[in-house]
Amino acid sequence: MLRTHTCGELSLGHVNQDVVLCGWVQRVRDKGGMIWLDLRDRYGITQLLFEEGKTPANVLETARSLGREFVISAKGAVIERLAKNDKIATGDIEIRVAELTILNPAKLPPFLIEDETDGGDDIRMKYRYLDLRRNVVRKNLQLRHQVARYTRAYLDNLNFIEVETPVLIKSTPEGARDFVVPSRMNPGEFYALPQSPQTFKQLLMVAGFDRYYQIVKCFRDEDLRADRQPEFTQIDCEMSFVTQEDVLNTFEGMIRELFSKVKGIDLPEVPRVTYADAMRLYGSDKPDTRFEMQFVELKGDDRDLTSGKGFGVFDDAGLVVGINASGCAGYTRKQVDELTDWIKRPQIGAKGLVYVRYNADGSIKSSVDKFYSEEELKKWVEAFDAKPGDLLLILSGQGDKTRKQLNELRLEIGSRLGLRNPDEYRALWVIDFPLLEFGEEENRWFAMHHPFTSPKPEDVDLLDKNLGQVRANAYDMVINGVEVGGGSVRIFEKELQRKMFEILGFSAEEAQEQFGFLMNAFEFGAPPHAGIAFGFDRLCSIFGGADSIRDFIAFPKNNSGRDVMIDSPSAISDAQLKELAIKVAETAQ
Ligand code: ASP
């Protein structure tokens, strides 16, 4: 090896030893007679010392010629520092350099390689290898490595085996567009990149593998948001001869283990909520349960405390529902107006906001005092179980839409009240998802999870009566309001799978053509099976306390799906196109 130690490991115990370190020049401080240099590698920073009179002249000269990010090798004795630095692990010592070699000079980097950098997003992505030299970025990838390692250890221990499934496949319907790859050997035909290994993992169950997992790349050609990447990684799992309960317990165990090993956190119990309750209580299938603030209905299926008092808005509404912003009765008129404007923005689109102040002195004041007596408002306050000092924020309108809007308001108020502490973690299972959802635009039914998800046995009859009512044994895991994983108990009978494709609008021929392989496999002894997949990048970002998954991917794409470092995607030559039998439309040329 070119070095005896790393830049992160020397301490007082090494004093007087001769060592050789290699690394990058972080910073040079030349004070005339003395030069100090911070040498950096993956493990840390060690200070090198050069001193007029004591350091050989040629070494001093070389030291003076160094620039930031030069790669050097330094040999010398470990000495105790006079001025210790307790901010770094090697802060008690420094190296009195006797020999110095420049292994490779470096151009001045386009941004500071420091935790606080002056480089914007674009430039750092273009020079991602320099960005990756920064501690903060490197640590994210080290965390990712740990998450992968503990995931494997946990699953290995439970007899799961990791199997690689192919990347050049044929479309799997997970609800996004496929990336396709032309086949040179089969002109005019295309592979699709997997949106997930769904069908393959099910075939592995038919093959008797019993417990499978894979930390695997998946590809979805979607319009990108800040937290999406066209290629991303899943912890993909499948099990045979299990119930939903077994899957939930197994993977709750995994998440618990990861929290404990990676974060040193004992995750609180993971409650379960049905999809229907989640929508009713939070207006979302991924509620942030770090705080309560559940919805309370003033007018809904169970009661009506608002109609017939002359307030047309509530009279006409199917749903009047609100939240209790506990302790916020002191909000000024201006603050409430501002909230009203916030919720009326087109992104949320509420028509208005009604408030009720339950003042500290017990009096009640609302924006609808004209229509409701104090007596009537008192009933509202009771419905909310509010205390003096609380502020009720109430929306009304059509059910689903209003709940969605109130969900946004709930999250906003949660944030404003500091109830969404990033260092606190609450996981939740959302279960009993509907099997199907109706696409108004397309005028047809879609699988809410995917077409391989099984209806609940007790709801199978409804497949012929009321498709919207059919519930699935499908589940999501949500952490702090972010969906981190989802899965389902699968269909494993050919006839049911055939029927499902029919409901989803596939003709018998189309179903056979696209999924014949799976339905055929079901004729050769398919065991009951179920599984789940976790978004690995997203899990890492949660463990790392960051919003974006990009920070946890070594070489991510930007919001337009571009890798600006290698400049991809890019055009290919006419010769390549010809070889692939691809005709390019005139306009694209
Ligand atoms: N394949 C599914 C997904 O990617 C997960 C599963 O059902 O196991 O969401």
Side-chain angles (χ1 to χ4, degrees), residues 140 143 147 252 255-256 258-271 287-291 418-429 477-482 484 538-547 552:
N140 287 345
L143 177 106
V147 180
E252 187 173 320
I255 292 297
R256 231 171 236 302
L258 292 177
F259 266 101
S260 150
K261 289 281 180 11
V262 177
K263 301 276 306 174
I265 285 177
D266 193 10
L267 190 69
E269 197 198 332
V270 182
D288 184 343
T289 45
R290 276 172 296 184
F291 63 111
L419 302 173
R420 305 176 73 191
N421 176 357
D423 296 325
E424 198 186 315
Y425 298 92
R426 285 287 180 283
L428 173 77
W429 285 113
M477 181 178 268
V478 175
I479 299 178
N480 291 2
V482 178
V484 296
R538 193 157 292 175
L539 265 185
C540 293
S541 75
I542 287 179
F543 286 129
D547 289 334
F552 297 82

Side-chain angles (χ1 to χ4, degrees), residues 250-315:
T250 304
F251 291 97
E252 187 173 320
M254 184 180 89
I255 292 297
R256 231 171 236 302
E257 171 96 347
L258 292 177
F259 266 101
S260 150
K261 289 281 180 11
V262 177
K263 301 276 306 174
I265 285 177
D266 193 10
L267 190 69
E269 197 198 332
V270 182
R272 294 176 191 179
V273 61
T274 63
Y275 171 86
D277 281 348
M279 295 311 285
R280 190 172 56 81
L281 296 170
Y282 305 100
S284 164
D285 60 1
K286 41 178 191 295
D288 184 343
T289 45
R290 276 172 296 184
F291 63 111
E292 287 270 327
M293 212 182 281
Q294 294 181 346
F295 292 8
V296 174
E297 292 175 14
L298 294 179
K299 173 179 177 180
D301 290 341
D302 298 334
R303 69 172 152 219
D304 184 353
L305 300 177
T306 63
S307 295
K309 305 291 170 193
F311 186 42
V313 177
F314 280 5
D315 288 350

Side-chain angles (χ1 to χ4, degrees), residues 83-154:
K84 305 218 166 30
N85 176 355
D86 58 11
K87 290 203 186 67
I88 58 173
T90 62
D92 287 346
I93 56 97
E94 58 194 343
I95 313 295
R96 181 181 290 289
V97 179
E99 287 172 32
L100 181 64
T101 312
I102 297 177
L103 298 174
N104 212 343
K107 270 172 49 174
L108 193 66
F111 53 87
L112 276 178
I113 315 277
E114 309 251 356
D115 290 1
E116 293 294 328
T117 177
D118 55 353
D121 233 24
D122 290 348
I123 193 92
R124 286 190 292 110
M125 284 302 151
K126 184 160 160 57
Y127 296 93
R128 181 66 167 168
Y129 46 89
L130 296 181
D131 200 28
L132 287 168
R133 283 187 194 163
R134 295 167 58 227
N135 271 320
V136 275
V137 187
R138 193 198 59 243
K139 277 193 183 136
N140 287 345
L141 290 172
Q142 284 173 325
L143 177 106
R144 183 183 174 102
H145 168 71
Q146 295 301 338
V147 180
R149 187 163 86 87
Y150 289 120
T151 299
R152 290 203 163 91
Y154 177 83

Side-chain angles (χ1 to χ4, degrees), residues 265-449:
I265 285 177
D266 193 10
L267 190 69
E269 197 198 332
V270 182
R272 294 176 191 179
V273 61
T274 63
Y275 171 86
D277 281 348
M279 295 311 285
R280 190 172 56 81
L281 296 170
Y282 305 100
S284 164
D285 60 1
K286 41 178 191 295
D288 184 343
T289 45
R290 276 172 296 184
F291 63 111
E292 287 270 327
M293 212 182 281
Q294 294 181 346
F295 292 8
V296 174
E297 292 175 14
L298 294 179
K299 173 179 177 180
D301 290 341
D302 298 334
R303 69 172 152 219
D304 184 353
L305 300 177
T306 63
S307 295
K309 305 291 170 193
F311 186 42
V313 177
F314 280 5
D315 288 350
D316 297 343
L319 180 73
V320 178
V321 63
I323 49 173
N324 180 359
S326 192
C328 294
Y331 267 33
T332 60
R333 183 59 199 258
K334 199 164 150 230
Q335 278 173 301
V336 180
D337 284 350
E338 191 235 324
L339 269 183
T340 310
D341 290 343
W342 184 87
I343 196 140
K344 280 162 103 175
R345 290 175 315 153
Q347 297 95 306
I348 303 184
K351 292 251 157 47
L353 176 68
V354 166
Y355 69 85
V356 179
R357 273 204 190 95
Y358 191 10
N359 294 317
D361 64 7
S363 63
I364 301 176
K365 183 99 197 72
S366 82
S367 54
V368 286
D369 283 353
K370 256 209 297 209
F371 304 101
Y372 300 95
S373 66
E374 177 141 359
E375 211 43 48
E376 278 149 359
L377 294 176
K378 189 122 209 164
K379 292 211 186 90
W380 296 12
V381 163
E382 275 160 21
F384 276 90
D385 211 4
K387 298 181 303 304
D390 289 353
L391 175 72
L392 311 183
L393 299 170
I394 300 164
L395 298 181
S396 63
Q398 184 268 332
D400 291 349
K401 230 163 121 190
T402 308
R403 285 201 178 86
K404 279 207 184 96
Q405 293 162 352
L406 191 60
N407 164 51
E408 300 286 346
L409 184 64
R410 175 181 177 270
L411 294 175
E412 177 68 17
I413 297 288
S415 298
R416 291 186 187 198
L417 294 180
L419 302 173
R420 305 176 73 191
N421 176 357
D423 296 325
E424 198 186 315
Y425 298 92
R426 285 287 180 283
L428 173 77
W429 285 113
V430 180
I431 59 171
D432 295 357
F433 273 82
L435 182 70
L436 300 154
E437 61 189 335
F438 194 72
E440 297 288 346
E441 248 168 62
E442 303 84 352
N443 194 33
R444 71 171 185 87
W445 291 95
F446 287 86
M448 193 138 175
H449 186 46

Side-chain angles (χ1 to χ4, degrees), residues 540-586:
C540 293
S541 75
I542 287 179
F543 286 129
D547 289 334
S548 167
I549 63 172
R550 256 212 271 171
D551 301 341
F552 297 82
I553 296 174
F555 298 104
K557 311 233 176 334
N558 72 8
N559 283 348
S560 331
R562 297 200 70 83
D563 182 325
V564 292
M565 183 183 66
I566 60 172
D567 194 19
S568 167
S570 57
I572 58 173
S573 70
D574 288 347
Q576 261 176 309
L577 286 171
K578 197 160 169 222
E579 195 172 51
L580 294 168
I582 295 178
K583 289 192 203 72
V584 179
E586 289 291 330

Side-chain angles (χ1 to χ4, degrees), residues 174 196 198 201 220 234 236 449-450 486-488 490 531-533:
E174 296 270 3
S196 88
Q198 185 61 34
K201 67 175 173 176
R220 295 183 191 178
Q234 283 190 341
D236 189 48
H449 186 46
H450 52 52
S488 59
R490 323 298 185 190
I532 192 165

